[in-house]
Amino acid sequence: MTFAVGFAYMESEKTDNYHWALGKLKQLITKQDIFPREILTDREFALMNAIKDIFPHTTNMLCTWHIIKKVNGRCTVHIPKDMRQKVKNLWRDVVESPNEVEYQQRLNAFQQACVNSSNFVEYVNNTWLAPHKEQFVEAWTNRVMHLGNTTTNRVESAHWRLKQMLEHSKGDLCKCLEGMNDNIILEVDKIKKSFQKSFYYAEKTHSSPFFQYLRNFVSRAAMTLISDEMKRIDIVGTDKNLCGCKLRSTCELPCACELSGYTTSSVPIPLDSVHGHWKKLTMEEPLEDDTEDGYELDMSNAMEAIWTRFRSLDIVGKRALKSKVFELAYPASSSLCPPPEKIKTRGGVKNKDKGKAPKGYDVYRDPSYFEHVEREYGDSQGTSKRSRTQLSQPSQDQQAQPSQKQLSQMSKKLISQKYLGQFPDHIHPHIVDIIEVLGDGNCGFRAVAYLLGYTEEGWPIVRRELHEELTNNNSLYEKLFRQGLQGVRDSLVANRWFTVPAMGYLVANRYNVILVTLGKPSRTFFPMMTSYSSSARFFCIGFVGGNHWVPVNMSKGFPLPEVTADWKKFRSHEATSWMSNLNRHLQYWQLLNPPVKPPNGVMSVD
């Protein structure tokens, strides 16, 4: 998986600046044996020169995707239209040459096809092949342990996720640092989950006896690569020349010829044949010396405690504890049974807006040369000739199909119609739209993360920050929650549900926002320790279906439901200004939703 190890602010992109940044990175690396074997970059000479100086023993590879795209851009300009696709395919063959002999043969075929375009051939030779072929052609890069990374697409995806956290390019240093920290926390959380899958989950292709020494000790990604490589055994056998040993050299995993030897002798794949990179399934740093005095792995006390607890439980408790112990002892087995009949999976709701850039997103980049060419000529590698013809002459059915923007608007409209009836009638005209989030038990935190601009995947950050709020202002919350304080703390630590009013107070205080919860009843939560601010944001979330929270976008000046009695009781003197400045919004709600007088004369409020 991709993860960030550091961020650097540089005055400019010159060699001296890269020297400083890479030098600081090198200082953080504690052991010589974990220096990077390979660094993948674009053809940026200042960065490439700095890598040579700071990491002289590291191979600097170049991104094959960008090189292919740039050459294809020149091809579009210089090569006749009827020959373009052939030339592009021949160029890709050159880049993917498995050895030097094959490289020379494919290069000759490429040059022969471009014999009438000397300028294009000269550009390819002088710009890419002569100075850099060892840095991107597979005949040379397959000799380096690059773990399958030959493009910078992963880096650009990680950069995009970071920019989502930063929201825009106008934040101060503290705001940027907070966004970077949140980004790393999300990455660590995902990596830990992937480690747990490698411990406790085995795919069907990994259940073979040949994987018995690797299961639970090697990552699932490594075993998937090995299982894919085993498909070549019948073709390769034990012939190293025919095998090419690409998986061994690039990933330090057993290749087809090695696997053929194990299958022939019916020996499971040994754990020693896998590089240590694929065996690290924890974020914890190992001790320097496991044989030091006092270092123990004794579990006798823990096992005795489990037996003691087991004896004290009733039959139901014993079954539950036994199932948990069995999951640890026999991770390959499962108590789950397949459904009695096939479940219909069609018609699932797709989240089309997932990954959409935040509104007001203003972090831009200059388009590359090939992007200008593709825009000018309408020629893209991912667009076939047939699809381009269809685009130029759309059929009646295609003309009738809605655009992506229209589909998004239709999806929002359907979601709003689905949930609108569960909110008070008088608030309906003020609801702009309702956004769906994943209903996995964390929906309330996902809704708040969405409104904060983290996207809903930032819900772990919200949990952590609300727990910090609870800890930092413990005296206030002891008075507010009384005997329920420990339950609120447990709900934040143990991944329990988002419950109000407790979470409402925490959200309003932590982020200094006005939180409105729509449902039965609807409530308003003002910050309890700060004075009124005209720049404070309104967050509105709705409770629907009896078990689900969704973000709700409201129009400006919408009415505010009643403030909780505990807020009035425990808020600070400064916080009174919230109610006085927003009193007209509270009165607006009462005007639209007046108290109902039952027949018996007892007053009640909806």
Side-chain angles (χ1 to χ4, degrees):
M1 296 179 68
T2 306
F3 59 93
V5 296
F7 303 91
Y9 282 92
M10 301 193 304
E11 183 181 7
S12 60
E13 296 180 350
K14 297 181 180 179
T15 302
D16 291 342
N17 303 101
Y18 284 122
H19 262 281
W20 169 79
L22 292 175
K24 292 297 181 182
L25 173 64
K26 188 174 183 179
Q27 291 175 12
L28 297 175
I29 300 176
T30 56
K31 299 176 182 178
Q32 293 287 330
D33 60 348
I34 61 173
F35 276 177
R37 294 190 185 185
E38 173 254 347
I39 295 178
L40 185 64
T41 68
D42 292 335
R43 193 180 65 122
E44 187 173 350
F45 292 115
L47 176 57
M48 294 165 67
N49 292 333
I51 291 172
K52 288 180 183 178
D53 297 335
I54 304 300
F55 296 105
H57 303 296
T58 297
T59 301
N60 180 195
M61 287 175 52
L62 297 181
C63 174
T64 56
W65 186 86
H66 282 94
I67 293 173
I68 290 173
K69 293 293 287 185
K70 288 177 180 178
V71 171
N72 287 351
R74 294 287 181 131
C75 173
T76 301
V77 176
H78 294 285
I79 301 297
K81 190 172 183 179
D82 59 333
M83 286 290 293
R84 284 177 194 167
Q85 194 57 50
K86 179 181 178 180
V87 170
K88 290 177 182 180
N89 292 339
L90 289 172
W91 170 243
R92 181 176 288 276
D93 290 342
V94 171
V95 174
E96 296 175 353
S97 302
N99 53 63
E100 294 183 43
V101 175
E102 193 74 20
Y103 164 75
Q104 195 57 52
Q105 294 174 354
R106 296 183 181 186
L107 178 61
N108 292 337
F110 170 77
Q111 292 175 337
Q112 185 64 33
C114 306
V115 68
N116 295 325
S117 304
S118 57
N119 290 338
F120 175 64
V121 175
E122 184 179 348
Y123 161 76
V124 172
N125 287 330
N126 296 340
T127 305
W128 298 109
L129 294 179
H132 303 300
K133 66 176 181 292
E134 293 88 355
Q135 294 173 278
F136 70 92
V137 177
E138 289 189 11
W140 288 271
T141 59
N142 281 351
R143 304 171 186 174
V144 182
M145 182 182 170
H146 54 63
L147 305 176
N149 294 295
T150 58
T151 74
T152 57
N153 294 351
R154 282 190 172 199
V155 179
E156 292 182 354
S157 297
H159 191 198
W160 177 82
R161 286 195 298 271
L162 174 62
K163 288 195 289 186
Q164 278 195 310
M165 292 291 187
L166 299 179
E167 297 183 17
H168 52 74
S169 60
K170 301 175 183 178
D172 58 18
L173 187 62
C174 294
K175 179 68 175 177
C176 293
L177 182 61
E178 183 181 345
M180 293 170 181
N181 186 56
D182 292 341
N183 185 58
I184 289 178
I185 290 171
L186 286 177
E187 288 177 351
V188 170
D189 184 60
K190 290 179 180 178
I191 291 171
K192 286 181 177 179
K193 288 180 180 178
S194 74
F195 285 159
Q196 292 301 310
K197 279 189 175 182
S198 293
F199 275 124
Y200 301 118
Y201 177 76
E203 294 184 12
K204 185 176 181 180
T205 54
H206 306 159
S207 59
S208 166
F210 291 105
F211 289 93
Q212 68 181 53
Y213 295 155
L214 306 186
R215 284 193 295 270
N216 307 326
F217 296 99
V218 172
S219 75
R220 293 167 62 240
M223 289 194 288
T224 299
L225 290 173
I226 294 173
S227 63
D228 291 342
E229 185 74 1
M230 292 185 76
K231 298 173 184 177
R232 301 177 59 225
I233 291 177
D234 294 337
I235 302 172
V236 172
T238 57
D239 189 341
K240 287 191 174 183
N241 294 326
L242 192 59
C243 174
C245 302
K246 178 180 176 180
L247 192 64
R248 170 55 69 188
S249 58
T250 59
C251 298
E252 290 286 344
L253 292 172
C255 56
C257 62
E258 292 181 55
L259 295 171
S260 179
Y262 299 138
T263 55
T264 302
S265 55
S266 299
V267 176
I269 303 168
L271 189 59
D272 293 340
S273 65
V274 177
H275 189 271
H277 167 83
W278 306 102
K279 302 175 188 176
K280 184 171 176 60
L281 301 178
T282 175
M283 299 294 288
E284 301 299 326
E285 178 69 20
L287 297 176
E288 293 294 330
D289 187 0
D290 291 352
T291 61
E292 290 182 357
D293 293 339
Y295 178 78
E296 297 180 357
L297 289 175
D298 185 15
M299 291 180 59
S300 56
N301 292 336
M303 297 302 296
E304 185 61 34
I306 292 174
W307 271 115
T308 302
R309 184 182 176 190
F310 181 80
R311 296 189 191 101
S312 65
L313 295 172
D314 57 16
I315 185 64
V316 177
K318 286 181 178 179
R319 286 177 177 173
L321 181 58
K322 179 183 176 181
S323 66
K324 291 182 179 181
V325 173
F326 267 55
E327 287 179 7
L328 295 174
Y330 309 106
S333 64
S334 174
S335 59
L336 300 178
C337 299
E341 59 183 32
K342 187 175 181 181
I343 298 175
K344 297 179 180 180
T345 57
R346 289 189 174 185
V349 178
K350 305 294 189 299
N351 188 356
K352 293 177 177 142
D353 291 332
K354 189 173 182 180
K356 186 178 180 182
K359 189 176 181 181
Y361 195 72
D362 66 346
V363 183
Y364 298 105
R365 64 174 179 81
D366 294 329
S368 299
Y369 172 82
F370 66 84
E371 292 174 295
H372 288 293
V373 172
E374 289 177 355
R375 190 180 298 113
E376 177 69 23
Y377 287 81
D379 185 22
S380 175
Q381 186 178 3
T383 306
S384 66
K385 182 177 180 181
R386 179 183 176 186
S387 63
R388 287 198 299 273
T389 304
Q390 291 175 340
L391 287 172
S392 61
Q393 297 178 349
S395 65
Q396 292 181 353
D397 292 339
Q398 290 172 326
Q399 290 175 347
Q401 290 179 353
S403 66
Q404 189 68 27
K405 183 178 180 180
Q406 290 172 327
L407 287 172
S408 176
Q409 292 173 345
M410 291 166 59
S411 176
K412 288 183 178 179
K413 186 176 180 180
L414 289 172
I415 293 171
S416 298
Q417 291 174 349
K418 177 182 178 183
Y419 295 132
L420 193 62
Q422 302 187 46
F423 302 140
D425 293 341
H426 63 274
I427 200 69
H428 291 182
H430 301 276
I431 295 177
V432 178
D433 60 30
I434 302 169
I435 296 87
E436 182 66 278
V437 295
L438 186 63
D440 61 348
N442 300 301
C443 54
F445 302 99
R446 288 179 179 273
V448 174
Y450 174 88
L451 294 170
L452 285 168
Y454 293 158
T455 75
E456 65 172 283
E457 296 303 323
W459 65 267
I461 301 173
V462 175
R463 275 192 182 274
R464 175 179 58 82
E465 291 178 343
L466 295 185
H467 186 264
E468 289 177 358
E469 169 64 26
L470 187 65
T471 304
N472 296 338
N473 297 290
N474 190 64
S475 58
L476 168 65
Y477 296 115
E478 280 182 344
K479 300 175 185 176
L480 186 63
F481 300 142
R482 296 177 285 276
Q483 292 84 1
L485 177 63
Q486 187 58 44
V488 176
R489 183 177 287 111
D490 291 343
S491 67
L492 292 170
V493 175
N495 285 352
R496 294 179 185 170
W497 289 3
F498 185 99
T499 57
V500 291
M503 297 302 165
Y505 297 119
L506 291 172
V507 171
N509 292 336
R510 169 66 187 189
Y511 302 111
N512 203 47
V513 299
I514 301 114
L515 179 70
V516 177
T517 60
L518 295 180
K520 295 182 180 179
S522 301
R523 288 288 180 263
T524 297
F525 297 88
F526 293 133
M528 304 179 70
M529 296 170 286
T530 60
S531 58
Y532 170 75
S533 171
S534 59
S535 61
R537 292 178 291 175
F538 289 83
F539 282 10
C540 188
I541 59 176
F543 191 63
V544 296
N547 61 356
H548 188 45
W549 289 100
V550 290
V552 182
N553 289 329
M554 306 293 291
S555 60
K556 190 175 181 180
F558 69 96
L560 295 178
E562 185 182 359
V563 181
T564 63
D566 281 342
W567 182 89
K568 299 174 183 177
K569 183 178 180 180
F570 295 107
R571 54 103 179 103
S572 66
H573 177 72
E574 294 83 0
T576 309
S577 57
W578 288 99
M579 199 161 183
S580 59
N581 281 277
L582 295 170
N583 190 48
R584 60 188 180 89
H585 294 274
L586 297 167
Q587 292 177 347
Y588 187 20
W589 180 282
Q590 293 177 357
L591 179 65
L592 296 173
N593 186 38
V596 179
K597 187 175 181 180
N600 59 9
V602 179
M603 294 295 293
S604 65
V605 180
D606 183 8

